[in-house]
Amino acid sequence: MGMEKSYEIKDDQNIELLKQLHILTRDGKLNQDSRRKLKQIYHLVNFIQPIITKYHDRSFTLVDHGAGKSYLGFILFDLIVKNTLGSIIGVEINEDLVNKSQLLMERFNFNNMQFISQEIAKSSEIISKADIVTALHACDTATDDAMSFAFEKNADWIVLVPCCQAEIYRGLKTIKPSQASNHWVELYRHGIHSREFGSHLTNVLRCLKLESLGYKVTVTELVGWEHSMKNELIIAENIKQKNTKSYDRMKKIISDLGLEKLQFRFL
Ligand SMILES: C[S@@+](CC[C@H](N)C(=O)[O-])C[C@H]1O[C@@H](n2cnc3c(N)ncnc32)[C@H](O)[C@@H]1O
């Protein structure tokens, strides 16, 4: 019996792949959660497609850090990368997820895909080359590890959708508001404000770090707020122009806020 395709699914999308990824139910239906997930992935694919197009007939390696079930990698591969000279490597700490992705990759003969069970921070030893680095909702500082990896590989493009961020929040919490030397402490004196401000500040410092290391940064929204609270999309292109002003500002923000203990992360 023919399945009625949802209007949200792209025409050239492999339906069986979506079923195997449990985005579609066995009878081809899309539930609320999967619809949200698929919308996010498609939106991200739309941002990544023009980047991949730049490689024309050249080979390239896209490394997806904190790949999870590799929704992004599989959908990107199926819709775009399989028709190019590119390959995708998914890095994921959870071995079980890596094994499942491996099986799926073999089932669909996606030969230019590879999955590695490894911490992002150590993956640089195994992966020799990365032209495009992605990290979608990689937990907490895993996004920073993905950035360090990309810098080490001198990646052309870095695409990040950061997740929960607690490191700066914890750093801010160690400074007693009564001891803070300036009025900016009011930005994060209350618990909910320090979480939000910590998260915002983390991404601001990440952008400054990207610029200071030679990347041009675009920050935009992945999907509307109604869909996800973690929807900041950071796209960085390696234009190889180190920005000293960004570096100086990053340094000043860190010292003004008394976060020197965390400067190893950014400076
Ligand atoms: C919230 S999930 C996101 C998965 C996927 N990128 C997505 O958006 O569907 C985060 C994934 O990152 C993995 N992860 C977190 N920290 C990691 C690290 N340091 N190294 C490798 N994988 C990590 C987790 O095991 C988890 O599967």
Side-chain angles (χ1 to χ4, degrees):
M1 199 174 74
M3 193 203 67
E4 201 184 316
K5 255 198 220 172
S6 160
Y7 69 95
E8 285 140 320
I9 294 171
K10 292 184 192 290
D11 285 342
D12 42 357
Q13 178 74 66
N14 182 330
I15 299 297
E16 191 50 35
L17 175 67
L18 291 187
K19 285 186 188 175
Q20 292 298 323
L21 286 170
H22 302 290
I23 286 178
L24 286 180
T25 59
R26 275 180 194 197
D27 51 358
K29 299 241 161 56
L30 203 54
N31 68 31
Q32 197 63 30
D33 260 5
S34 319
R35 179 172 282 119
R36 194 183 310 123
K37 188 88 209 164
L38 192 62
K39 191 170 174 179
Q40 272 196 339
I41 303 279
Y42 276 170
H43 202 54
L44 200 49
V45 166
N46 286 340
F47 280 101
I48 297 174
Q49 182 155 26
I51 295 176
I52 291 177
T53 307
K54 291 181 193 298
Y55 289 85
H56 301 292
D57 51 357
R58 280 187 293 148
S59 70
F60 65 90
T61 305
L62 183 152
V63 178
D64 183 33
H65 281 302
K69 294 180 180 162
S70 287
Y71 296 121
L72 175 64
F74 277 116
I75 292 175
L76 257 183
F77 194 87
D78 180 43
L79 290 176
I80 309 169
V81 177
K82 74 175 183 204
N83 301 317
T84 70
L85 297 175
S87 55
I88 294 185
I89 302 175
V91 177
E92 168 56 53
I93 191 87
N94 183 326
E95 209 173 335
D96 194 37
L97 292 178
V98 168
N99 292 339
K100 284 184 179 147
S101 293
Q102 191 76 31
L103 287 175
L104 213 53
M105 174 211 115
E106 284 161 17
R107 175 177 174 155
F108 288 99
N109 286 322
F110 288 167
N111 297 325
N112 282 347
M113 284 192 97
Q114 191 187 342
F115 297 94
I116 295 174
S117 171
Q118 181 59 276
E119 271 178 48
I120 298 167
K122 292 186 185 156
S123 61
S124 175
E125 296 161 20
I126 308 169
I127 302 169
S128 58
K129 177 177 174 281
D131 303 290
I132 306 168
V133 173
T134 58
L136 172 58
H137 294 154
C139 318
D140 198 7
T141 55
T143 299
D144 303 287
D145 293 338
M147 284 171 62
S148 299
F149 171 93
F151 298 141
E152 198 174 315
K153 302 296 171 194
N154 198 19
D156 298 332
W157 294 87
I158 307 175
V159 179
L160 308 167
V161 182
C163 192
C164 44
Q165 292 133 324
E167 194 176 51
I168 295 252
Y169 164 69
R170 285 191 298 269
L172 292 171
K173 293 292 280 180
T174 61
I175 307 161
K176 288 211 167 59
S178 57
Q179 290 168 0
S181 56
N182 71 50
H183 55 282
W184 292 112
V185 71
E186 295 302 331
L187 287 176
Y188 56 89
R189 188 158 55 89
H190 300 287
I192 184 167
H193 291 163
S194 45
R195 271 193 297 279
E196 285 172 1
F197 181 67
S199 177
H200 177 65
L201 180 59
T202 307
N203 287 344
V204 167
L205 292 173
R206 284 171 176 160
C207 290
L208 289 170
K209 180 172 181 172
L210 283 158
E211 286 172 350
S212 72
L213 290 174
Y215 286 77
K216 189 174 120 202
V217 175
T218 311
V219 186
T220 177
E221 193 181 32
L222 183 55
V223 282
W225 281 110
E226 74 276 23
H227 298 293
S228 170
M229 289 296 282
K230 299 160 190 157
N231 70 343
E232 191 167 322
L233 170 64
I234 300 172
I235 299 185
E237 178 185 3
N238 193 354
I239 56 166
K240 299 182 172 69
Q241 285 171 25
K242 294 192 177 180
N243 189 329
T244 50
K245 187 170 155 194
S246 295
Y247 180 85
D248 292 343
R249 289 199 162 170
M250 177 168 58
K251 204 168 169 185
K252 179 106 175 65
I253 290 172
I254 289 171
S255 82
D256 282 0
L257 291 171
L259 291 167
E260 285 86 351
K261 278 190 185 155
L262 292 175
Q263 66 184 15
F264 74 94
R265 183 67 75 196
F266 301 99
L267 298 180

